[in-house]
mmCIF file of all heavy atoms in Angstrom:
data_model
loop_
_atom_site.group_PDB
_atom_site.id
_atom_site.type_symbol
_atom_site.label_atom_id
_atom_site.label_comp_id
_atom_site.label_asym_id
_atom_site.label_seq_id
_atom_site.Cartn_x
_atom_site.Cartn_y
_atom_site.Cartn_z
ATOM 1 N N LEU A 1 101.666 105.735 85.212
ATOM 2 C CA LEU A 1 101.770 106.343 83.992
ATOM 3 C C LEU A 1 100.505 106.589 83.306
ATOM 4 O O LEU A 1 99.503 105.857 83.638
ATOM 5 C CB LEU A 1 102.645 105.316 83.147
ATOM 6 C CG LEU A 1 104.136 105.175 83.434
ATOM 7 C CD1 LEU A 1 104.746 103.845 82.784
ATOM 8 C CD2 LEU A 1 104.928 106.361 83.121
ATOM 9 N N TYR A 2 100.440 107.430 82.453
ATOM 10 C CA TYR A 2 99.235 107.855 81.740
ATOM 11 C C TYR A 2 99.449 107.739 80.245
ATOM 12 O O TYR A 2 100.597 108.149 79.836
ATOM 13 C CB TYR A 2 98.675 109.195 82.181
ATOM 14 C CG TYR A 2 98.066 109.319 83.504
ATOM 15 C CD1 TYR A 2 99.014 109.432 84.552
ATOM 16 C CD2 TYR A 2 96.657 109.236 83.725
ATOM 17 C CE1 TYR A 2 98.415 109.392 85.911
ATOM 18 C CE2 TYR A 2 96.215 109.321 84.994
ATOM 19 C CZ TYR A 2 97.158 109.477 86.133
ATOM 20 O OH TYR A 2 96.604 109.414 87.488
ATOM 21 N N ALA A 3 98.530 107.204 79.488
ATOM 22 C CA ALA A 3 98.705 107.202 77.948
ATOM 23 C C ALA A 3 97.317 107.061 77.277
ATOM 24 O O ALA A 3 96.368 106.587 78.012
ATOM 25 C CB ALA A 3 99.540 105.969 77.720
ATOM 26 N N THR A 4 97.162 107.538 76.070
ATOM 27 C CA THR A 4 96.048 107.401 75.348
ATOM 28 C C THR A 4 96.334 106.147 74.465
ATOM 29 O O THR A 4 97.274 105.817 74.111
ATOM 30 C CB THR A 4 95.617 108.663 74.686
ATOM 31 O OG1 THR A 4 96.641 109.022 73.780
ATOM 32 C CG2 THR A 4 95.263 109.800 75.523
ATOM 33 N N SER A 5 95.029 105.690 73.957
ATOM 34 C CA SER A 5 95.116 104.558 72.914
ATOM 35 C C SER A 5 93.673 104.341 72.313
ATOM 36 O O SER A 5 92.679 104.613 72.957
ATOM 37 C CB SER A 5 95.616 103.309 73.619
ATOM 38 O OG SER A 5 95.820 102.167 72.548
ATOM 39 N N ASP A 6 93.775 103.971 71.007
ATOM 40 C CA ASP A 6 92.516 103.562 70.547
ATOM 41 C C ASP A 6 91.891 102.291 71.188
ATOM 42 O O ASP A 6 92.705 101.384 71.648
ATOM 43 C CB ASP A 6 92.646 103.228 69.017
ATOM 44 C CG ASP A 6 92.896 104.387 68.073
ATOM 45 O OD1 ASP A 6 92.624 105.561 68.564
ATOM 46 O OD2 ASP A 6 93.330 104.224 67.031
ATOM 47 N N ASP A 7 90.566 102.231 71.369
ATOM 48 C CA ASP A 7 89.954 101.188 71.980
ATOM 49 C C ASP A 7 88.445 101.153 71.632
ATOM 50 O O ASP A 7 87.611 101.875 72.053
ATOM 51 C CB ASP A 7 90.074 101.455 73.550
ATOM 52 C CG ASP A 7 89.612 100.188 74.341
ATOM 53 O OD1 ASP A 7 90.018 99.037 74.146
ATOM 54 O OD2 ASP A 7 88.567 100.344 75.150
ATOM 55 N N HIS A 8 88.211 100.102 70.756
ATOM 56 C CA HIS A 8 86.777 99.826 70.321
ATOM 57 C C HIS A 8 86.054 101.084 69.889
ATOM 58 O O HIS A 8 84.953 101.278 70.322
ATOM 59 C CB HIS A 8 86.040 98.978 71.406
ATOM 60 C CG HIS A 8 86.618 97.663 71.599
ATOM 61 N ND1 HIS A 8 86.296 96.648 70.799
ATOM 62 C CD2 HIS A 8 87.454 97.202 72.672
ATOM 63 C CE1 HIS A 8 86.863 95.630 71.406
ATOM 64 N NE2 HIS A 8 87.518 95.835 72.475
ATOM 65 N N GLY A 9 86.705 101.853 69.102
ATOM 66 C CA GLY A 9 86.019 103.048 68.572
ATOM 67 C C GLY A 9 86.051 104.324 69.314
ATOM 68 O O GLY A 9 85.542 105.281 69.018
ATOM 69 N N GLN A 10 86.731 104.223 70.518
ATOM 70 C CA GLN A 10 86.942 105.329 71.277
ATOM 71 C C GLN A 10 88.519 105.457 71.372
ATOM 72 O O GLN A 10 89.251 104.731 70.927
ATOM 73 C CB GLN A 10 86.337 105.222 72.723
ATOM 74 C CG GLN A 10 84.970 104.510 72.819
ATOM 75 C CD GLN A 10 83.900 105.568 72.408
ATOM 76 O OE1 GLN A 10 84.137 106.661 72.392
ATOM 77 N NE2 GLN A 10 82.851 105.010 71.862
ATOM 78 N N HIS A 11 88.937 106.807 71.948
ATOM 79 C CA HIS A 11 90.310 106.912 72.198
ATOM 80 C C HIS A 11 90.557 107.561 73.549
ATOM 81 O O HIS A 11 90.680 108.758 73.818
ATOM 82 C CB HIS A 11 90.698 107.950 71.167
ATOM 83 C CG HIS A 11 92.352 108.225 71.159
ATOM 84 N ND1 HIS A 11 93.166 107.276 70.662
ATOM 85 C CD2 HIS A 11 92.991 109.209 71.606
ATOM 86 C CE1 HIS A 11 94.373 107.538 70.733
ATOM 87 N NE2 HIS A 11 94.468 108.787 71.401
ATOM 88 N N PRO A 12 90.383 106.574 74.624
ATOM 89 C CA PRO A 12 90.386 107.132 75.986
ATOM 90 C C PRO A 12 91.680 107.461 76.448
ATOM 91 O O PRO A 12 92.820 107.247 75.832
ATOM 92 C CB PRO A 12 89.970 105.812 76.731
ATOM 93 C CG PRO A 12 89.391 104.894 75.716
ATOM 94 C CD PRO A 12 90.181 105.228 74.348
ATOM 95 N N LEU A 13 91.728 108.028 77.736
ATOM 96 C CA LEU A 13 92.962 108.102 78.430
ATOM 97 C C LEU A 13 93.018 106.958 79.589
ATOM 98 O O LEU A 13 92.026 106.749 80.298
ATOM 99 C CB LEU A 13 92.898 109.483 79.226
ATOM 100 C CG LEU A 13 94.234 109.867 80.216
ATOM 101 C CD1 LEU A 13 95.419 109.747 79.420
ATOM 102 C CD2 LEU A 13 93.941 111.090 80.982
ATOM 103 N N PHE A 14 94.187 106.283 79.627
ATOM 104 C CA PHE A 14 94.370 105.284 80.588
ATOM 105 C C PHE A 14 95.344 105.603 81.650
ATOM 106 O O PHE A 14 96.329 106.353 81.393
ATOM 107 C CB PHE A 14 94.767 103.934 79.834
ATOM 108 C CG PHE A 14 93.795 103.468 78.792
ATOM 109 C CD1 PHE A 14 93.950 103.869 77.466
ATOM 110 C CD2 PHE A 14 92.824 102.617 79.162
ATOM 111 C CE1 PHE A 14 92.977 103.349 76.573
ATOM 112 C CE2 PHE A 14 91.857 102.006 78.300
ATOM 113 C CZ PHE A 14 91.921 102.524 76.948
ATOM 114 N N ALA A 15 95.250 104.926 82.699
ATOM 115 C CA ALA A 15 96.330 105.018 83.829
ATOM 116 C C ALA A 15 96.934 103.597 83.991
ATOM 117 O O ALA A 15 96.040 102.647 83.999
ATOM 118 C CB ALA A 15 95.654 105.467 85.125
ATOM 119 N N ILE A 16 98.181 103.475 84.063
ATOM 120 C CA ILE A 16 98.889 102.181 84.223
ATOM 121 C C ILE A 16 99.696 102.075 85.432
ATOM 122 O O ILE A 16 100.467 103.052 85.729
ATOM 123 C CB ILE A 16 99.863 101.988 82.938
ATOM 124 C CG1 ILE A 16 98.915 102.057 81.669
ATOM 125 C CG2 ILE A 16 100.490 100.630 83.064
ATOM 126 C CD1 ILE A 16 99.153 103.425 80.977
ATOM 127 N N ASP A 17 99.419 101.275 86.363
ATOM 128 C CA ASP A 17 100.054 101.027 87.527
ATOM 129 C C ASP A 17 101.534 100.502 87.153
ATOM 130 O O ASP A 17 101.649 99.420 86.618
ATOM 131 C CB ASP A 17 99.437 100.153 88.470
ATOM 132 C CG ASP A 17 99.973 99.939 89.893
ATOM 133 O OD1 ASP A 17 101.047 99.341 90.001
ATOM 134 O OD2 ASP A 17 99.558 100.667 90.771
ATOM 135 N N VAL A 18 102.496 101.314 87.635
ATOM 136 C CA VAL A 18 103.826 100.969 87.341
ATOM 137 C C VAL A 18 104.319 99.665 87.922
ATOM 138 O O VAL A 18 105.137 98.933 87.335
ATOM 139 C CB VAL A 18 104.772 102.072 87.863
ATOM 140 C CG1 VAL A 18 106.279 101.629 87.748
ATOM 141 C CG2 VAL A 18 104.669 103.289 86.866
ATOM 142 N N ALA A 19 103.915 99.391 89.052
ATOM 143 C CA ALA A 19 104.374 98.089 89.878
ATOM 144 C C ALA A 19 103.665 96.946 89.355
ATOM 145 O O ALA A 19 104.306 95.862 89.250
ATOM 146 C CB ALA A 19 104.057 98.331 91.285
ATOM 147 N N THR A 20 102.334 96.989 89.153
ATOM 148 C CA THR A 20 101.492 95.739 88.766
ATOM 149 C C THR A 20 101.209 95.644 87.234
ATOM 150 O O THR A 20 100.938 94.552 86.782
ATOM 151 C CB THR A 20 100.192 95.723 89.540
ATOM 152 O OG1 THR A 20 99.456 96.845 89.050
ATOM 153 C CG2 THR A 20 100.450 95.898 91.036
ATOM 154 N N GLY A 21 101.374 96.688 86.451
ATOM 155 C CA GLY A 21 100.966 96.812 85.099
ATOM 156 C C GLY A 21 99.390 96.803 84.916
ATOM 157 O O GLY A 21 98.911 96.652 83.793
ATOM 158 N N LYS A 22 98.665 96.934 85.937
ATOM 159 C CA LYS A 22 97.155 97.006 85.899
ATOM 160 C C LYS A 22 96.848 98.356 85.193
ATOM 161 O O LYS A 22 97.390 99.339 85.445
ATOM 162 C CB LYS A 22 96.560 96.988 87.201
ATOM 163 C CG LYS A 22 95.017 97.008 87.267
ATOM 164 C CD LYS A 22 94.467 96.896 88.615
ATOM 165 C CE LYS A 22 92.986 97.014 88.632
ATOM 166 N NZ LYS A 22 92.442 96.843 89.972
ATOM 167 N N VAL A 23 95.860 98.222 84.184
ATOM 168 C CA VAL A 23 95.317 99.393 83.335
ATOM 169 C C VAL A 23 94.019 99.634 83.674
ATOM 170 O O VAL A 23 93.092 98.792 83.663
ATOM 171 C CB VAL A 23 95.558 98.920 81.852
ATOM 172 C CG1 VAL A 23 95.143 100.150 81.008
ATOM 173 C CG2 VAL A 23 97.106 98.691 81.479
ATOM 174 N N ARG A 24 93.689 100.823 83.986
ATOM 175 C CA ARG A 24 92.318 101.235 84.166
ATOM 176 C C ARG A 24 91.984 102.368 83.327
ATOM 177 O O ARG A 24 92.846 103.297 82.867
ATOM 178 C CB ARG A 24 92.024 101.594 85.595
ATOM 179 C CG ARG A 24 92.817 102.882 86.058
ATOM 180 C CD ARG A 24 92.464 103.093 87.542
ATOM 181 N NE ARG A 24 93.377 104.120 88.161
ATOM 182 C CZ ARG A 24 93.268 105.391 87.918
ATOM 183 N NH1 ARG A 24 92.271 105.887 87.186
ATOM 184 N NH2 ARG A 24 94.178 106.171 88.601
ATOM 185 N N THR A 25 90.623 102.651 82.767
ATOM 186 C CA THR A 25 90.286 103.722 81.965
ATOM 187 C C THR A 25 90.129 104.873 82.903
ATOM 188 O O THR A 25 89.270 104.751 83.924
ATOM 189 C CB THR A 25 89.019 103.302 81.258
ATOM 190 O OG1 THR A 25 89.309 102.236 80.423
ATOM 191 C CG2 THR A 25 88.604 104.451 80.319
ATOM 192 N N VAL A 26 90.674 105.969 82.490
ATOM 193 C CA VAL A 26 90.309 107.260 83.344
ATOM 194 C C VAL A 26 89.291 108.067 82.634
ATOM 195 O O VAL A 26 88.293 108.404 83.409
ATOM 196 C CB VAL A 26 91.654 108.146 83.464
ATOM 197 C CG1 VAL A 26 91.470 109.396 84.180
ATOM 198 C CG2 VAL A 26 92.801 107.342 83.951
ATOM 199 N N VAL A 27 89.267 108.315 81.381
ATOM 200 C CA VAL A 27 88.192 109.137 80.679
ATOM 201 C C VAL A 27 87.990 108.206 79.415
ATOM 202 O O VAL A 27 88.952 108.020 78.594
ATOM 203 C CB VAL A 27 88.604 110.357 80.302
ATOM 204 C CG1 VAL A 27 87.492 111.186 79.518
ATOM 205 C CG2 VAL A 27 88.900 111.323 81.558
ATOM 206 N N GLY A 28 86.772 107.591 79.200
ATOM 207 C CA GLY A 28 86.528 106.639 78.242
ATOM 208 C C GLY A 28 85.835 107.066 77.164
ATOM 209 O O GLY A 28 86.410 106.875 75.854
ATOM 210 N N GLU A 29 84.651 107.870 77.131
ATOM 211 C CA GLU A 29 83.961 108.059 75.965
ATOM 212 C C GLU A 29 84.674 109.211 75.271
ATOM 213 O O GLU A 29 85.153 110.103 75.736
ATOM 214 C CB GLU A 29 82.444 108.507 76.402
ATOM 215 C CG GLU A 29 81.664 107.376 76.933
ATOM 216 C CD GLU A 29 81.480 106.271 75.844
ATOM 217 O OE1 GLU A 29 81.094 106.534 74.815
ATOM 218 O OE2 GLU A 29 81.726 105.051 76.233
ATOM 219 N N GLY A 30 84.412 109.154 73.805
ATOM 220 C CA GLY A 30 85.063 110.108 72.995
ATOM 221 C C GLY A 30 86.460 109.885 72.696
ATOM 222 O O GLY A 30 87.014 108.830 72.781
ATOM 223 N N SER A 31 87.245 111.065 72.325
ATOM 224 C CA SER A 31 88.602 110.974 72.020
ATOM 225 C C SER A 31 89.254 112.093 72.877
ATOM 226 O O SER A 31 88.969 113.262 72.873
ATOM 227 C CB SER A 31 88.687 111.337 70.526
ATOM 228 O OG SER A 31 90.088 111.341 70.183
ATOM 229 N N VAL A 32 90.304 111.550 73.685
ATOM 230 C CA VAL A 32 91.157 112.429 74.497
ATOM 231 C C VAL A 32 92.409 112.805 73.610
ATOM 232 O O VAL A 32 93.107 111.825 73.242
ATOM 233 C CB VAL A 32 91.527 111.707 75.850
ATOM 234 C CG1 VAL A 32 92.526 112.609 76.636
ATOM 235 C CG2 VAL A 32 90.266 111.469 76.620
ATOM 236 N N GLY A 33 92.541 114.096 73.511
ATOM 237 C CA GLY A 33 93.753 114.601 72.815
ATOM 238 C C GLY A 33 94.862 114.931 73.693
ATOM 239 O O GLY A 33 95.494 113.983 74.414
ATOM 240 N N GLY A 34 95.235 116.217 73.804
ATOM 241 C CA GLY A 34 96.334 116.479 74.673
ATOM 242 C C GLY A 34 95.814 116.542 76.096
ATOM 243 O O GLY A 34 94.672 116.636 76.381
ATOM 244 N N TYR A 35 96.766 116.191 77.002
ATOM 245 C CA TYR A 35 96.357 116.263 78.406
ATOM 246 C C TYR A 35 97.476 116.601 79.249
ATOM 247 O O TYR A 35 98.636 116.536 78.783
ATOM 248 C CB TYR A 35 95.708 114.872 78.981
ATOM 249 C CG TYR A 35 96.757 113.742 78.871
ATOM 250 C CD1 TYR A 35 97.415 113.316 80.003
ATOM 251 C CD2 TYR A 35 97.046 113.209 77.518
ATOM 252 C CE1 TYR A 35 98.305 112.346 79.887
ATOM 253 C CE2 TYR A 35 97.883 112.091 77.640
ATOM 254 C CZ TYR A 35 98.578 111.684 78.657
ATOM 255 O OH TYR A 35 99.462 110.693 78.723
ATOM 256 N N ASP A 36 97.303 117.077 80.454
ATOM 257 C CA ASP A 36 98.446 117.353 81.469
ATOM 258 C C ASP A 36 97.925 116.953 82.772
ATOM 259 O O ASP A 36 96.901 116.892 83.129
ATOM 260 C CB ASP A 36 98.736 118.807 81.247
ATOM 261 C CG ASP A 36 100.115 119.234 81.822
ATOM 262 O OD1 ASP A 36 100.943 118.279 82.127
ATOM 263 O OD2 ASP A 36 100.544 120.429 82.013
ATOM 264 N N LEU A 37 99.124 116.567 83.550
ATOM 265 C CA LEU A 37 98.901 116.110 84.986
ATOM 266 C C LEU A 37 99.384 117.131 86.018
ATOM 267 O O LEU A 37 100.398 117.794 85.827
ATOM 268 C CB LEU A 37 99.617 114.850 85.224
ATOM 269 C CG LEU A 37 99.467 113.616 84.213
ATOM 270 C CD1 LEU A 37 100.479 112.531 84.696
ATOM 271 C CD2 LEU A 37 97.986 113.213 84.298
ATOM 272 N N GLY A 38 98.529 117.326 87.077
ATOM 273 C CA GLY A 38 99.013 118.050 88.315
ATOM 274 C C GLY A 38 99.029 117.016 89.378
ATOM 275 O O GLY A 38 99.015 115.858 89.167
ATOM 276 N N LYS A 39 99.370 117.581 90.661
ATOM 277 C CA LYS A 39 99.485 116.648 91.690
ATOM 278 C C LYS A 39 98.061 115.953 92.069
ATOM 279 O O LYS A 39 98.103 114.876 92.653
ATOM 280 C CB LYS A 39 100.055 117.390 92.878
ATOM 281 C CG LYS A 39 101.529 117.854 92.779
ATOM 282 C CD LYS A 39 101.922 118.717 93.951
ATOM 283 C CE LYS A 39 103.357 119.067 93.821
ATOM 284 N NZ LYS A 39 103.901 119.934 94.994
ATOM 285 N N SER A 40 97.057 116.682 91.763
ATOM 286 C CA SER A 40 95.746 116.075 92.101
ATOM 287 C C SER A 40 94.668 116.261 91.062
ATOM 288 O O SER A 40 93.542 115.972 91.265
ATOM 289 C CB SER A 40 95.251 116.626 93.457
ATOM 290 O OG SER A 40 95.210 118.062 93.327
ATOM 291 N N ARG A 41 95.103 116.790 89.856
ATOM 292 C CA ARG A 41 94.081 117.320 88.769
ATOM 293 C C ARG A 41 94.604 116.904 87.487
ATOM 294 O O ARG A 41 95.786 117.010 87.210
ATOM 295 C CB ARG A 41 93.844 118.750 89.008
ATOM 296 C CG ARG A 41 92.957 119.341 87.910
ATOM 297 C CD ARG A 41 92.875 120.805 88.115
ATOM 298 N NE ARG A 41 91.713 121.113 88.977
ATOM 299 C CZ ARG A 41 91.361 122.275 89.355
ATOM 300 N NH1 ARG A 41 92.125 123.363 88.921
ATOM 301 N NH2 ARG A 41 90.231 122.402 90.031
#
C-alpha cells in the first residue's frame, strides 16, 4: 500500500507492506502531492 503523511516537516510518500506492516519511505524530501502507480513505475 502507498500513502503520504506529514513527517518531521516533510510530507513524504510511504510504502507499507501489507503482510508485515513494515513502512519505508519512498520519496522523502519536500512534499508529495498527487501520485499514481503503474506496474513498475
